[in-house]
Every structure is written in structure tokens, then in C-alpha cells.
Amino acid sequence: KSTVGETDTKALRDAIAKANDDLKNTAVSSDGGDVEPGKAYVARDVWDAFSKEIESAQAVLNQKDATQKAVDDAVASLKEKTTAFDKAKKTAPALDTKTLTEAIDAADKKLKETETSADGKDVETTKQWATEADHTKLGDAITAAKAALSAAKVQNDVKTALAALNAAVAAFQTKPGTMDVDADEHLQSGQVSGSTTWNGVDVDVSWYLGHEKDASYEIDTAAKLAGVAALVNGLVNEDCHVYINET
């Protein structure tokens, strides 16, 4: 309160209180990435300038011999700066997790489609493989990304998690398998065709399958003869004698 003859400072005190409350509830950020969604923020230079204006108003209020005009001028100036400060505010948007979610799904898919192997010799040529250690590293990165996605409070949390996951995916080097299952599949059916030929003849080993313990075999077609070539690499028992029927 103020009596007759005293300077009325109530308006200035109220303006300072409002300005301080405004400053306190406004975050400082360059792009809002480190501010929780829905909260207001301004650039550092805007925040600092408003803070100094409040200090100037407080200095007038602290003057015991301040004139009414000085007080009124301080009120007017602070209100003007408060309005400008409020106009400069921006609101942090809702979290954008679409890119991170898609990256997690893609990494999950890549991991599931990649087989674990020490050297790729037990993986088909049509499939990709990676070592168990690399599998574990990417799996851990995916788990961390999922946890970060659930716990994210500001956009920078999402951005950091995405960068870490992308780095892990980039480091996850896969290679094609080296196991040739084509010949094995055809051997199981008794026929080897396509690229597995001998002198341009499709290979037939049906005469051998199921008769592996036979002492001898009758080879009477070019395909069967080609089958001999497919079996000589350790697939025929040592006591086997192959006779070619020349007809």
C-alpha cells in the first residue's frame, strides 16, 4: 500500500511478478527439440533480453526515491517487453516418432532375415548371414531404440535414438551364404540339372540313391554316366565298381 505523497509502486510490482512468472515458465531452445511437447520456448537472446528488462524494472522498484513518473515509465516499458516476449514464444510440437518406428521395424526385419553363422558355409547362397556377435549387437541396438521410443519426452530423445540405431544398422554387415544346396536338392530327387551337368548332359543318380551299399552299378545312359561324375568326389563307397554297358 502507499499513502498520500508516496510513490504508487503496486502496478510495477504486479508487472514484475507477472514477467518473472512468464520467464520462469518459458524454456530456452533453438528449435524446441529439447522442450516437452506443448510447452513454450524462445531463443536464448530473446530470453536474456527479457530477463534484463525485468532487472531494470526491479532496479526502479528498489529505488527509495523513485518518482511516480519513473515508476510509471518502468511499468509501461515492462508491459511492452512482456507483450513482445509473448509474441516471440513458440510451442514445442508433439513428438514425431514415425521415422524411428519405421527404422526399428526395418532393423527387426533385417535381423530376422539374416541367419547366424561363423563363416557362411552352412547358409544357402540365396540368404544373408552375419556372425553371432554382430547379431547380438544389432539386437541390443533395436532393444535400446524401442526403450528410448517408449521413454522419449522430447524430440531430441527420438533423434538421438534414431541416430544410434542407424549407426548400428550400418555396422551390421551381412554376406551371402556359400552353401550350394542346388546339387544336394537334385541329388535327393535323383536328378541334377541346370548348371550341374557333365559334358552338357543332365546328371542322373537315381541308380545310386537307395543302393549306396551295392558292389556295382550298371550305367547305360549318358545321364547316368554324368551321375558318376557327380558322385566320384567321395560319395561312392571305396569298394564300388562301375561298369559301363556299351549298347
Side-chain angles (χ1 to χ4, degrees), residues 1-136:
K1 294 182 179 179
S2 58
T3 59
V4 177
E6 292 183 350
T7 302
D8 186 355
T9 60
K10 182 179 184 305
L12 182 56
R13 283 185 279 111
D14 289 346
I16 291 174
K18 181 181 181 302
N20 275 323
D21 187 60
D22 208 2
L23 194 68
K24 178 181 177 181
N25 291 300
T26 303
V28 175
S29 178
S30 59
D31 59 6
D34 51 350
V35 179
E36 292 187 23
K39 291 192 175 182
Y41 71 93
V42 294
R44 166 57 67 183
D45 60 333
V46 174
W47 198 94
D48 288 345
F50 188 47
S51 177
K52 288 181 179 180
E53 185 66 26
I54 297 174
E55 290 176 1
S56 295
Q58 184 66 49
V60 173
L61 181 64
N62 293 340
Q63 291 178 11
K64 295 181 179 180
D65 57 349
T67 64
Q68 188 64 54
K69 183 178 186 308
V71 171
D72 292 344
D73 288 346
V75 171
S77 178
L78 185 55
K79 285 185 176 181
E80 180 182 349
K81 297 299 182 181
T82 299
T83 298
F85 182 74
D86 288 340
K87 287 183 178 180
K89 290 180 184 178
K90 295 181 181 178
T91 302
L95 294 183
D96 181 1
T97 60
K98 184 175 182 290
T99 303
L100 178 58
T101 299
E102 291 176 346
I104 290 174
D105 291 342
D108 254 332
K109 184 174 184 292
K110 186 177 182 67
L111 190 65
K112 290 176 182 177
E113 292 178 346
T114 303
E115 298 194 12
T116 302
S117 176
D119 54 16
K121 293 180 179 179
D122 54 344
V123 179
E124 299 176 19
T125 56
T126 57
K127 297 180 179 179
Q128 295 288 312
W129 68 275
T131 63
E132 184 175 356
D134 286 344
H135 250 265
T136 299

